[in-house]
Amino acid sequence: MSNIEQTLSIIKPDAVERNLDSEIKEMFKNKGFKIIKEKKIQIEKLEAEKFYKVHETKPFYNDLCSYLSSGPIVVMVLEKENAVLANRELMGATNPQEAAEGTIRKKYGISIDKNSVHGSDSTDNAKIEIDFFFKD
Ligand code: CMP
């Protein structure tokens, strides 16, 4: 049975700043993802704090929110069979040093903070995160 899902992807400031957004989008398309919605924006720190609220007790929360709001980002709704998991596989481990060959973070990530992309970690969070950026 087919299980077409949507997930949220963010190309983070470190990658947009290095003009890697087209190459990263090609990596998604080559893996069969459809880019259903897409916009380039810069968000306020307060919005980043809302987006990453699940991490609010973590020691890296403040830096993470400052970073996500530090420059333009590209937010996208990606669609594919089992998109949430497929996107996590294509992104690779959170820490680029631990990411497998062929993944986006291995190829482009600089550090655990500047790891080039974000992707939803579950189908429930995918719905919440897509609504966060694309609620009409
Ligand atoms: P992301 O998938 O966007 O979700 C939260 C982000 O926090 C994560 O990618 C990392 O960029 C960042 N981060 C910074 N330090 C850590 C850490 N120790 N563990 C997990 N994520 C971290």
Side-chain angles (χ1 to χ4, degrees), residues 9-135:
S9 171
I10 303 177
I11 305 179
K12 295 187 180 183
D14 68 276
V16 175
E17 186 179 77
R18 287 176 287 153
N19 288 312
L20 295 171
D21 32 323
S22 310
E23 286 162 61
I24 291 174
K25 281 192 270 177
E26 277 309 302
M27 287 180 81
F28 286 124
K29 289 184 206 157
N30 290 341
K31 282 280 177 189
F33 287 95
K34 281 189 197 151
I35 300 172
I36 301 292
K37 290 182 184 169
E38 155 181 14
K39 60 183 176 184
K40 191 179 201 174
I41 53 173
Q42 181 160 0
I43 60 172
E44 300 288 336
K45 188 171 179 196
L46 261 177
E47 288 178 87
E49 287 170 355
K50 278 187 213 152
F51 180 74
Y52 276 133
K53 196 159 175 49
V54 289
H55 294 301
E56 74 182 326
T57 59
K58 310 270 175 59
F60 54 83
Y61 179 64
N62 185 54
D63 285 350
L64 173 64
C65 297
S66 297
Y67 169 62
L68 193 72
S69 55
S70 68
I73 57 176
V74 176
V75 289
M76 295 173 289
V77 177
L78 302 180
E79 187 175 276
K80 179 182 151 72
E81 182 89 12
N82 300 318
V84 172
L85 184 62
N87 182 33
R88 294 183 67 74
E89 285 173 0
L90 180 56
M91 287 192 299
T94 306
N95 186 345
Q97 289 186 337
E98 292 162 12
E101 283 301 330
T103 62
I104 296 171
R105 286 168 170 163
K106 171 74 179 179
K107 199 164 177 196
Y108 299 122
I110 296 169
S111 65
I112 195 163
D113 302 299
K114 297 185 172 182
N115 62 355
S116 300
V117 278
H118 166 84
S120 310
D121 65 0
S122 66
T123 50
D124 285 350
N125 280 338
K127 289 189 185 77
I128 293 167
E129 293 184 353
I130 288 169
D131 267 6
F132 186 92
F133 283 110
F134 292 101
K135 206 164 180 80

